[in-house]
Amino acid sequence: MRNISSLQVAWDDAQRLGNRCIEREKCRNDAAGDLSELSEGEKEKGDTNQTETLAQNISRINSDIEIWSNEDKPRRLYIVLISLHGLVRGENMELGRDSDTGGQVKYVVELARALSNMKGVYRVDLLTRQITSVEVDSSYGEPIEMLACPPDGSGSCGAYIVRIPCGPRDKYIPKESLWPHIPEFLDGALSHIINMARALGEEIDGGKPMWPYVIHGHYADAGEVAAYLSGVLNVPMVLTGHSLGRNKFEQLLKQGRYSREDINSTYKIMRRIEAEELGLDAAELVVTSTRQEIEEQWGLYDGFDIKMERKLRVRRRRGVSCHGRYMPRMVVIPPGMDFSYVTAKDSLEVVGDLKSLIGADRTPNKRHLPPIWAEIMRFLANPHKPMVLALSRPDPKKNVTTLLKAYAECRPLREIANLTLILGNRDDIEEMSNSSSIVLTTVLKLIDKYDLYGQVAYPKHHNQCDVPEIYRLAAKTKGVFINPALVEPFGLTLIEAAAYGLPVVATKNGGPVDIVKALNNGLLIDPHDQKAIADALLKLVADKNLWLECRKHGLKNIHRFSWPEHCRNYLSHVEHCRNRHPTTRLEIMTTLEEPMSESLRDVEDLSLKFSVDVDFKPNGELDATTKQKELIRTLTQMATSNGNSTVSYYPGRRQRLFIIAVDCYNNNGLCTGMLSSIINNVMTSAGSRSGETGFILLTGLSLLEAKEALTSQVKLEDFDALVCSSGSEMYYPWKDLVADANYEAHVEYRWPGGNVRSMVMRLARIADEAEDDIVEHISACSSRCYSYRIKPGAKVRRIDDLRQRFRMRGLRCNLVYTQAAKRLNVVPLIASRVQALRYLSVRWGIDLSKMIVFVGERGDTDYEDLLVGIHKTVILKGSVEYASEMLFRSEDSFKREDVVPQDTPNIALTEGYDTPDITTALETLGII
């Protein structure tokens, strides 16, 4: 029965993969027509040579990019790095403590330090998660930690770890559980960057905000944060994947032990993949460690096609239209290494056995030895034998058990070499995560099964400062380092081992291919082939001449992986991508006076005399209240007619913003009177503090439709802003409802415009359905929103399916079903209702925590985005009967609980939508 089930899973996955390949081929054919006007020579010019160069020397950059120079014009750059999960600190990093605290943590900390030492870099912030749980050290709860303090007179203020609240405060949760809390981190990061931009601007830039030079996300979760921050601040984004979800998904499926549902449930893999796709949508630059990562890993994604990327790159260089298509630039920049722990003696000393240091009885001959040496050697009957060293987390994909079997079943190898397994830190295996516990338990069972006592060392603890000594011990014994991972995105430990003169054996899947090629210091193996692993290890430890040659080559070529080299390449590529990105300075508006209507809203003393020319009725029959309203209206109109409508004003005196985003439509997709009632109830709930409270409307309606739906019962001038057409347009009633030109320019980036207009109907319609199932709704279209009417009962693609088809064609858009699934709005990638709030938060200087969003229990397909973040949310029960959520995502996609936290104090649910219900909810949230 299980075999039948496994075969069915394999069959289903093969069908999905086949369908995806067919769709990608269709996309390439679509793109081929648009991108065929260059000659063959122009298409590929420069690309072939570049590929060859990267294969030979993976640290070299493109010839068309100027190398970063310390002698260039003076710069003062602010760089933001984001690494969200794991335990991040500058000293005594607990690498291997869990599956989240591995090589990525070491990489980002050292990158931040190295960048801060580059001339022209003023400040580097590494944003990570603040963890105050008693399960971890208190240092992870400190809001700020200095990483690097530059020397006096260097013109820099250093590098810092900045910790931002994210998720439960009372426990340390793994990265797979972080997804619902990502918006909280995003909003906290935005607040920090705004404050830092102001502070740095006042310090060095004449008071103008000093926005980041680049925002760099590491891994899928931070990539999503960086994508949204980039969109809000109009700052170029860089992405480093470290390890990729699609690749992991395929590897797990190939093992045949888990179904798609099991993998998705355990690893939240579909949520992770969508975050990686979003990162590709927004990134200017994707930094990879190897060419293989580009071709075989990123090549699996909807949002990247290496052939299309090359064509588009050539077209941009030639100044030829790309027809709205976009692909991020992929570059190979190997991680650097901190060589400060490597001494000249490590490189120059001719290593021998341990007899010069310890005797046969293990007593030191000359000097005190590192404690970690004694800790390892206590396991070994003969510590003088060459050491086969493996250093990794106890993770199934690191493939340690296959290595152990290969060693155990090769008697010649067991006779001449020991095996040392450094598998993180542990106190009690039973208290570790399930996957780590399984690996370590299997290791112990295999040692017992093959009777490897005295031949295998597996210490329980080591510190980060012990790692250099472990490499030195292996080198002293003329040992070998091995990385047998099923797939290794890069392989930083291989570089570390080479720096201490250790030859290597490494998996042929991933980054080690390029590393071993560049260093020429070892052998590659198939990680699934036990015999190949054993043969490679035996060859290196038995052939002393080969061992010496590999050692010499590694030490000779290791300079290619230094941090200064990495940073020069990195900054050169970032500067180049900034030249392509239409970066404009985002202004934080200065606080000005309120509009006349707001200043006079609470005036009741009619004894005030105004010397103005006002057209009051000569008979004087108006009562006092009417006269007051008429006076305010007249003065406001006069101010507008005198040109004040063009003044850059914003509600600077607002203490909070009430945002109404309730999607009230009938089953025909028409706006109902319920919306007007809810607006009036929300405004009434503000009570006596209405002057301190501003109101914003977020809607999928166009401005014209909003006017028609509301003006009979709601005064549009009571709003501070109207955000229409699913976040693509912004209007201010106090500026004559003219579209905000700054916002239009802000969201325009990467908008394919008319190039996508005719495709939408074909891509959204399911095959074989009627052509008139979806038609363009001309009156609701604008330059930033293409709107389409959907016939009742028509079958159209869900958002995730439609977005996939757009991405495969290099078209980057935001897609929203609205009006009870009777309308599809196609808007710019950067435009959305929730991103509009973040934009206003920056422009108006109002913290997102001061915003209260009112929604129904259901809504448009962007509904879930409005529930999460540091703003407060009030869900009005019973206010929305017909919604569009059923067209959001397919059944095998991620679930709502991967987006919205199950328990959050920022969300209140009302009993209804009347004023008392709203007031009670606001009291619950501590608003009033």
mmCIF file of all heavy atoms in Angstrom, residues 630-666:
data_model
loop_
_atom_site.group_PDB
_atom_site.id
_atom_site.type_symbol
_atom_site.label_atom_id
_atom_site.label_comp_id
_atom_site.label_asym_id
_atom_site.label_seq_id
_atom_site.Cartn_x
_atom_site.Cartn_y
_atom_site.Cartn_z
ATOM 1 N N GLU A 630 -20.823 77.778 6.850
ATOM 2 C CA GLU A 630 -20.681 78.477 5.577
ATOM 3 C C GLU A 630 -19.402 79.304 5.557
ATOM 4 O O GLU A 630 -18.696 79.380 4.550
ATOM 5 C CB GLU A 630 -21.897 79.380 5.356
ATOM 6 C CG GLU A 630 -21.916 80.090 4.008
ATOM 7 C CD GLU A 630 -22.084 79.127 2.853
ATOM 8 O OE1 GLU A 630 -22.530 77.982 3.081
ATOM 9 O OE2 GLU A 630 -21.746 79.511 1.716
ATOM 10 N N LEU A 631 -19.080 79.904 6.715
ATOM 11 C CA LEU A 631 -17.858 80.695 6.812
ATOM 12 C C LEU A 631 -16.627 79.816 6.599
ATOM 13 O O LEU A 631 -15.712 80.159 5.843
ATOM 14 C CB LEU A 631 -17.788 81.362 8.189
ATOM 15 C CG LEU A 631 -16.514 82.189 8.490
ATOM 16 C CD1 LEU A 631 -16.378 83.330 7.496
ATOM 17 C CD2 LEU A 631 -16.546 82.710 9.907
ATOM 18 N N ILE A 632 -16.621 78.664 7.265
ATOM 19 C CA ILE A 632 -15.490 77.748 7.116
ATOM 20 C C ILE A 632 -15.358 77.300 5.673
ATOM 21 O O ILE A 632 -14.259 77.263 5.099
ATOM 22 C CB ILE A 632 -15.660 76.530 8.051
ATOM 23 C CG1 ILE A 632 -15.537 76.963 9.513
ATOM 24 C CG2 ILE A 632 -14.635 75.444 7.735
ATOM 25 C CD1 ILE A 632 -15.877 75.877 10.509
ATOM 26 N N ARG A 633 -16.501 76.956 5.048
ATOM 27 C CA ARG A 633 -16.470 76.495 3.661
ATOM 28 C C ARG A 633 -15.941 77.583 2.739
ATOM 29 O O ARG A 633 -15.095 77.339 1.881
ATOM 30 C CB ARG A 633 -17.886 76.097 3.224
ATOM 31 C CG ARG A 633 -17.946 75.501 1.815
ATOM 32 C CD ARG A 633 -19.381 75.296 1.374
ATOM 33 N NE ARG A 633 -20.080 76.555 1.239
ATOM 34 C CZ ARG A 633 -19.933 77.384 0.183
ATOM 35 N NH1 ARG A 633 -19.113 77.077 -0.799
ATOM 36 N NH2 ARG A 633 -20.598 78.519 0.120
ATOM 37 N N THR A 634 -16.398 78.819 2.951
ATOM 38 C CA THR A 634 -15.985 79.923 2.088
ATOM 39 C C THR A 634 -14.499 80.213 2.232
ATOM 40 O O THR A 634 -13.777 80.393 1.247
ATOM 41 C CB THR A 634 -16.792 81.187 2.402
ATOM 42 O OG1 THR A 634 -18.173 80.879 2.305
ATOM 43 C CG2 THR A 634 -16.444 82.316 1.434
ATOM 44 N N LEU A 635 -14.021 80.231 3.504
ATOM 45 C CA LEU A 635 -12.601 80.496 3.728
ATOM 46 C C LEU A 635 -11.735 79.407 3.118
ATOM 47 O O LEU A 635 -10.669 79.672 2.553
ATOM 48 C CB LEU A 635 -12.316 80.607 5.234
ATOM 49 C CG LEU A 635 -12.880 81.867 5.923
ATOM 50 C CD1 LEU A 635 -12.708 81.739 7.424
ATOM 51 C CD2 LEU A 635 -12.198 83.112 5.415
ATOM 52 N N THR A 636 -12.207 78.170 3.215
ATOM 53 C CA THR A 636 -11.464 77.053 2.633
ATOM 54 C C THR A 636 -11.386 77.180 1.119
ATOM 55 O O THR A 636 -10.348 76.969 0.504
ATOM 56 C CB THR A 636 -12.117 75.720 3.020
ATOM 57 O OG1 THR A 636 -12.183 75.634 4.438
ATOM 58 C CG2 THR A 636 -11.301 74.543 2.495
ATOM 59 N N GLN A 637 -12.544 77.541 0.501
ATOM 60 C CA GLN A 637 -12.574 77.703 -0.950
ATOM 61 C C GLN A 637 -11.660 78.829 -1.391
ATOM 62 O O GLN A 637 -10.957 78.737 -2.404
ATOM 63 C CB GLN A 637 -14.005 77.978 -1.425
ATOM 64 C CG GLN A 637 -14.910 76.757 -1.355
ATOM 65 C CD GLN A 637 -16.320 77.074 -1.807
ATOM 66 O OE1 GLN A 637 -16.709 78.246 -1.920
ATOM 67 N NE2 GLN A 637 -17.099 76.033 -2.051
ATOM 68 N N MET A 638 -11.634 79.923 -0.600
ATOM 69 C CA MET A 638 -10.760 81.048 -0.939
ATOM 70 C C MET A 638 -9.296 80.619 -0.870
ATOM 71 O O MET A 638 -8.492 80.975 -1.729
ATOM 72 C CB MET A 638 -11.004 82.213 0.031
ATOM 73 C CG MET A 638 -12.345 82.918 -0.167
ATOM 74 S SD MET A 638 -12.600 84.156 1.103
ATOM 75 C CE MET A 638 -11.251 85.252 0.778
ATOM 76 N N ALA A 639 -8.962 79.828 0.165
ATOM 77 C CA ALA A 639 -7.570 79.372 0.284
ATOM 78 C C ALA A 639 -7.178 78.523 -0.903
ATOM 79 O O ALA A 639 -6.091 78.649 -1.451
ATOM 80 C CB ALA A 639 -7.397 78.583 1.584
ATOM 81 N N THR A 640 -8.112 77.669 -1.339
ATOM 82 C CA THR A 640 -7.831 76.812 -2.491
ATOM 83 C C THR A 640 -7.684 77.642 -3.755
ATOM 84 O O THR A 640 -6.773 77.438 -4.558
ATOM 85 C CB THR A 640 -8.966 75.792 -2.670
ATOM 86 O OG1 THR A 640 -9.049 74.996 -1.487
ATOM 87 C CG2 THR A 640 -8.693 74.876 -3.866
ATOM 88 N N SER A 641 -8.571 78.598 -3.941
ATOM 89 C CA SER A 641 -8.519 79.416 -5.156
ATOM 90 C C SER A 641 -7.293 80.298 -5.198
ATOM 91 O O SER A 641 -6.845 80.714 -6.262
ATOM 92 C CB SER A 641 -9.793 80.284 -5.250
ATOM 93 O OG SER A 641 -9.822 81.220 -4.178
ATOM 94 N N ASN A 642 -6.722 80.599 -4.029
ATOM 95 C CA ASN A 642 -5.507 81.415 -3.980
ATOM 96 C C ASN A 642 -4.231 80.614 -4.197
ATOM 97 O O ASN A 642 -3.146 81.132 -4.059
ATOM 98 C CB ASN A 642 -5.407 82.127 -2.620
ATOM 99 C CG ASN A 642 -6.445 83.234 -2.506
ATOM 100 O OD1 ASN A 642 -6.878 83.781 -3.523
ATOM 101 N ND2 ASN A 642 -6.859 83.548 -1.272
ATOM 102 N N GLY A 643 -4.406 79.327 -4.510
ATOM 103 C CA GLY A 643 -3.224 78.532 -4.856
ATOM 104 C C GLY A 643 -2.734 77.618 -3.765
ATOM 105 O O GLY A 643 -1.763 76.911 -3.936
ATOM 106 N N ASN A 644 -3.410 77.583 -2.604
ATOM 107 C CA ASN A 644 -2.937 76.735 -1.527
ATOM 108 C C ASN A 644 -3.108 75.254 -1.819
ATOM 109 O O ASN A 644 -2.587 74.422 -1.114
ATOM 110 C CB ASN A 644 -3.665 77.075 -0.219
ATOM 111 C CG ASN A 644 -3.156 78.381 0.372
ATOM 112 O OD1 ASN A 644 -2.199 78.941 -0.142
ATOM 113 N ND2 ASN A 644 -3.797 78.861 1.426
ATOM 114 N N SER A 645 -3.864 74.926 -2.867
ATOM 115 C CA SER A 645 -4.057 73.510 -3.192
ATOM 116 C C SER A 645 -2.762 72.868 -3.667
ATOM 117 O O SER A 645 -2.640 71.662 -3.675
ATOM 118 C CB SER A 645 -5.119 73.356 -4.281
ATOM 119 O OG SER A 645 -4.687 73.995 -5.467
ATOM 120 N N THR A 646 -1.798 73.669 -4.054
ATOM 121 C CA THR A 646 -0.531 73.098 -4.525
ATOM 122 C C THR A 646 0.515 73.030 -3.418
ATOM 123 O O THR A 646 1.619 72.564 -3.645
ATOM 124 C CB THR A 646 0.026 73.947 -5.680
ATOM 125 O OG1 THR A 646 0.272 75.280 -5.201
ATOM 126 C CG2 THR A 646 -0.952 73.998 -6.836
ATOM 127 N N VAL A 647 0.158 73.496 -2.220
ATOM 128 C CA VAL A 647 1.111 73.472 -1.120
ATOM 129 C C VAL A 647 1.348 72.027 -0.677
ATOM 130 O O VAL A 647 0.420 71.220 -0.615
ATOM 131 C CB VAL A 647 0.582 74.316 0.063
ATOM 132 C CG1 VAL A 647 1.477 74.149 1.286
ATOM 133 C CG2 VAL A 647 0.513 75.774 -0.342
ATOM 134 N N SER A 648 2.591 71.682 -0.391
ATOM 135 C CA SER A 648 2.901 70.329 0.091
ATOM 136 C C SER A 648 2.508 70.239 1.560
ATOM 137 O O SER A 648 3.326 70.416 2.461
ATOM 138 C CB SER A 648 4.392 70.035 -0.093
ATOM 139 O OG SER A 648 4.710 69.954 -1.440
ATOM 140 N N TYR A 649 1.238 69.944 1.793
ATOM 141 C CA TYR A 649 0.705 69.869 3.145
ATOM 142 C C TYR A 649 0.441 68.415 3.503
ATOM 143 O O TYR A 649 0.159 67.590 2.642
ATOM 144 C CB TYR A 649 -0.603 70.652 3.237
ATOM 145 C CG TYR A 649 -1.468 70.210 4.373
ATOM 146 C CD1 TYR A 649 -1.178 70.617 5.673
ATOM 147 C CD2 TYR A 649 -2.498 69.311 4.173
ATOM 148 C CE1 TYR A 649 -1.924 70.154 6.726
ATOM 149 C CE2 TYR A 649 -3.243 68.847 5.223
ATOM 150 C CZ TYR A 649 -2.956 69.274 6.500
ATOM 151 O OH TYR A 649 -3.691 68.802 7.541
ATOM 152 N N TYR A 650 0.545 68.096 4.763
ATOM 153 C CA TYR A 650 0.078 66.798 5.224
ATOM 154 C C TYR A 650 -0.460 66.978 6.636
ATOM 155 O O TYR A 650 -0.162 67.969 7.306
ATOM 156 C CB TYR A 650 1.194 65.765 5.218
ATOM 157 C CG TYR A 650 2.149 65.881 6.368
ATOM 158 C CD1 TYR A 650 2.113 64.982 7.422
ATOM 159 C CD2 TYR A 650 3.096 66.902 6.418
ATOM 160 C CE1 TYR A 650 2.989 65.092 8.480
ATOM 161 C CE2 TYR A 650 3.973 67.013 7.477
ATOM 162 C CZ TYR A 650 3.916 66.104 8.497
ATOM 163 O OH TYR A 650 4.781 66.213 9.553
ATOM 164 N N PRO A 651 -1.270 66.038 7.102
ATOM 165 C CA PRO A 651 -1.898 66.176 8.428
ATOM 166 C C PRO A 651 -0.883 66.031 9.553
ATOM 167 O O PRO A 651 -0.848 65.022 10.249
ATOM 168 C CB PRO A 651 -2.937 65.049 8.441
ATOM 169 C CG PRO A 651 -3.132 64.674 7.025
ATOM 170 C CD PRO A 651 -1.813 64.889 6.376
ATOM 171 N N GLY A 652 -0.063 67.018 9.735
ATOM 172 C CA GLY A 652 1.028 66.922 10.698
ATOM 173 C C GLY A 652 0.595 66.873 12.137
ATOM 174 O O GLY A 652 1.353 66.447 12.994
ATOM 175 N N ARG A 653 -0.619 67.312 12.415
ATOM 176 C CA ARG A 653 -1.059 67.315 13.809
ATOM 177 C C ARG A 653 -1.865 66.082 14.186
ATOM 178 O O ARG A 653 -2.391 65.984 15.268
ATOM 179 C CB ARG A 653 -1.893 68.571 14.075
ATOM 180 C CG ARG A 653 -1.093 69.851 13.899
ATOM 181 C CD ARG A 653 -1.897 71.065 14.277
ATOM 182 N NE ARG A 653 -1.113 72.290 14.091
ATOM 183 C CZ ARG A 653 -1.570 73.508 14.351
ATOM 184 N NH1 ARG A 653 -2.802 73.673 14.783
ATOM 185 N NH2 ARG A 653 -0.811 74.562 14.158
ATOM 186 N N ARG A 654 -1.988 65.167 13.287
ATOM 187 C CA ARG A 654 -2.739 63.949 13.575
ATOM 188 C C ARG A 654 -1.988 63.096 14.599
ATOM 189 O O ARG A 654 -0.789 62.868 14.481
ATOM 190 C CB ARG A 654 -2.950 63.116 12.310
ATOM 191 C CG ARG A 654 -3.682 63.839 11.199
ATOM 192 C CD ARG A 654 -5.106 64.148 11.586
ATOM 193 N NE ARG A 654 -5.857 64.580 10.423
ATOM 194 C CZ ARG A 654 -6.700 65.600 10.424
ATOM 195 N NH1 ARG A 654 -6.863 66.316 11.530
ATOM 196 N NH2 ARG A 654 -7.379 65.918 9.336
ATOM 197 N N GLN A 655 -2.724 62.603 15.571
ATOM 198 C CA GLN A 655 -2.151 61.706 16.560
ATOM 199 C C GLN A 655 -2.304 60.250 16.156
ATOM 200 O O GLN A 655 -1.593 59.381 16.636
ATOM 201 C CB GLN A 655 -2.830 61.928 17.919
ATOM 202 C CG GLN A 655 -2.658 63.337 18.454
ATOM 203 C CD GLN A 655 -1.198 63.696 18.640
ATOM 204 O OE1 GLN A 655 -0.454 62.976 19.292
ATOM 205 N NE2 GLN A 655 -0.789 64.812 18.062
ATOM 206 N N ARG A 656 -3.273 60.012 15.255
ATOM 207 C CA ARG A 656 -3.526 58.652 14.779
ATOM 208 C C ARG A 656 -4.255 58.733 13.453
ATOM 209 O O ARG A 656 -4.795 59.792 13.088
ATOM 210 C CB ARG A 656 -4.372 57.874 15.794
ATOM 211 C CG ARG A 656 -5.785 58.387 15.945
ATOM 212 C CD ARG A 656 -6.524 57.699 17.060
ATOM 213 N NE ARG A 656 -5.950 58.028 18.357
ATOM 214 C CZ ARG A 656 -6.231 59.151 19.037
ATOM 215 N NH1 ARG A 656 -7.056 60.056 18.529
ATOM 216 N NH2 ARG A 656 -5.671 59.373 20.197
ATOM 217 N N LEU A 657 -4.255 57.620 12.747
ATOM 218 C CA LEU A 657 -4.980 57.521 11.486
ATOM 219 C C LEU A 657 -5.927 56.335 11.534
ATOM 220 O O LEU A 657 -5.515 55.220 11.872
ATOM 221 C CB LEU A 657 -4.012 57.353 10.305
ATOM 222 C CG LEU A 657 -3.117 58.547 9.951
ATOM 223 C CD1 LEU A 657 -2.149 58.161 8.845
ATOM 224 C CD2 LEU A 657 -3.951 59.751 9.534
ATOM 225 N N PHE A 658 -7.192 56.574 11.214
ATOM 226 C CA PHE A 658 -8.173 55.507 11.059
ATOM 227 C C PHE A 658 -8.258 55.182 9.570
ATOM 228 O O PHE A 658 -8.589 56.054 8.765
ATOM 229 C CB PHE A 658 -9.550 55.940 11.579
ATOM 230 C CG PHE A 658 -9.683 55.887 13.081
ATOM 231 C CD1 PHE A 658 -8.597 55.594 13.898
ATOM 232 C CD2 PHE A 658 -10.905 56.136 13.697
ATOM 233 C CE1 PHE A 658 -8.710 55.544 15.273
ATOM 234 C CE2 PHE A 658 -11.046 56.098 15.072
ATOM 235 C CZ PHE A 658 -9.940 55.800 15.871
ATOM 236 N N ILE A 659 -7.953 53.939 9.223
ATOM 237 C CA ILE A 659 -7.934 53.530 7.819
ATOM 238 C C ILE A 659 -9.096 52.574 7.561
ATOM 239 O O ILE A 659 -9.188 51.508 8.190
ATOM 240 C CB ILE A 659 -6.597 52.841 7.457
ATOM 241 C CG1 ILE A 659 -5.442 53.849 7.545
ATOM 242 C CG2 ILE A 659 -6.638 52.270 6.061
ATOM 243 C CD1 ILE A 659 -4.635 53.767 8.793
ATOM 244 N N ILE A 660 -9.979 52.956 6.662
ATOM 245 C CA ILE A 660 -11.159 52.149 6.369
ATOM 246 C C ILE A 660 -10.888 51.353 5.096
ATOM 247 O O ILE A 660 -10.699 51.922 4.021
ATOM 248 C CB ILE A 660 -12.402 53.037 6.216
ATOM 249 C CG1 ILE A 660 -12.668 53.753 7.543
ATOM 250 C CG2 ILE A 660 -13.620 52.213 5.817
ATOM 251 C CD1 ILE A 660 -13.316 55.084 7.442
ATOM 252 N N ALA A 661 -10.842 50.034 5.246
ATOM 253 C CA ALA A 661 -10.517 49.151 4.127
ATOM 254 C C ALA A 661 -11.520 48.000 4.071
ATOM 255 O O ALA A 661 -11.163 46.848 3.823
ATOM 256 C CB ALA A 661 -9.098 48.615 4.268
ATOM 257 N N VAL A 662 -12.785 48.316 4.326
ATOM 258 C CA VAL A 662 -13.845 47.309 4.320
ATOM 259 C C VAL A 662 -14.371 47.171 2.894
ATOM 260 O O VAL A 662 -14.832 48.145 2.298
ATOM 261 C CB VAL A 662 -14.981 47.713 5.282
ATOM 262 C CG1 VAL A 662 -15.994 46.585 5.392
ATOM 263 C CG2 VAL A 662 -14.421 48.063 6.652
ATOM 264 N N ASP A 663 -14.304 45.964 2.357
ATOM 265 C CA ASP A 663 -14.663 45.722 0.953
ATOM 266 C C ASP A 663 -16.132 45.302 0.852
ATOM 267 O O ASP A 663 -16.456 44.107 0.843
ATOM 268 C CB ASP A 663 -13.756 44.644 0.366
ATOM 269 C CG ASP A 663 -12.282 44.991 0.537
ATOM 270 O OD1 ASP A 663 -11.924 46.144 0.274
ATOM 271 O OD2 ASP A 663 -11.499 44.106 0.934
ATOM 272 N N CYS A 664 -17.022 46.275 0.804
ATOM 273 C CA CYS A 664 -18.465 46.027 0.827
ATOM 274 C C CYS A 664 -19.046 46.017 -0.585
ATOM 275 O O CYS A 664 -19.263 47.092 -1.185
ATOM 276 C CB CYS A 664 -19.168 47.099 1.656
ATOM 277 S SG CYS A 664 -18.656 47.141 3.378
ATOM 278 N N TYR A 665 -19.294 44.831 -1.121
ATOM 279 C CA TYR A 665 -19.888 44.698 -2.445
ATOM 280 C C TYR A 665 -21.040 43.699 -2.386
ATOM 281 O O TYR A 665 -21.069 42.812 -1.532
ATOM 282 C CB TYR A 665 -18.841 44.198 -3.461
ATOM 283 C CG TYR A 665 -17.589 45.035 -3.512
ATOM 284 C CD1 TYR A 665 -16.381 44.550 -3.010
ATOM 285 C CD2 TYR A 665 -17.610 46.316 -4.059
ATOM 286 C CE1 TYR A 665 -15.234 45.311 -3.051
ATOM 287 C CE2 TYR A 665 -16.457 47.089 -4.106
ATOM 288 C CZ TYR A 665 -15.267 46.583 -3.599
ATOM 289 O OH TYR A 665 -14.128 47.340 -3.635
ATOM 290 N N ASN A 666 -21.980 43.862 -3.332
ATOM 291 C CA ASN A 666 -23.025 42.850 -3.453
ATOM 292 C C ASN A 666 -22.553 41.730 -4.374
ATOM 293 O O ASN A 666 -21.418 41.757 -4.860
ATOM 294 C CB ASN A 666 -24.342 43.473 -3.931
ATOM 295 C CG ASN A 666 -24.212 44.114 -5.312
ATOM 296 O OD1 ASN A 666 -23.323 43.767 -6.090
ATOM 297 N ND2 ASN A 666 -25.099 45.055 -5.610
#
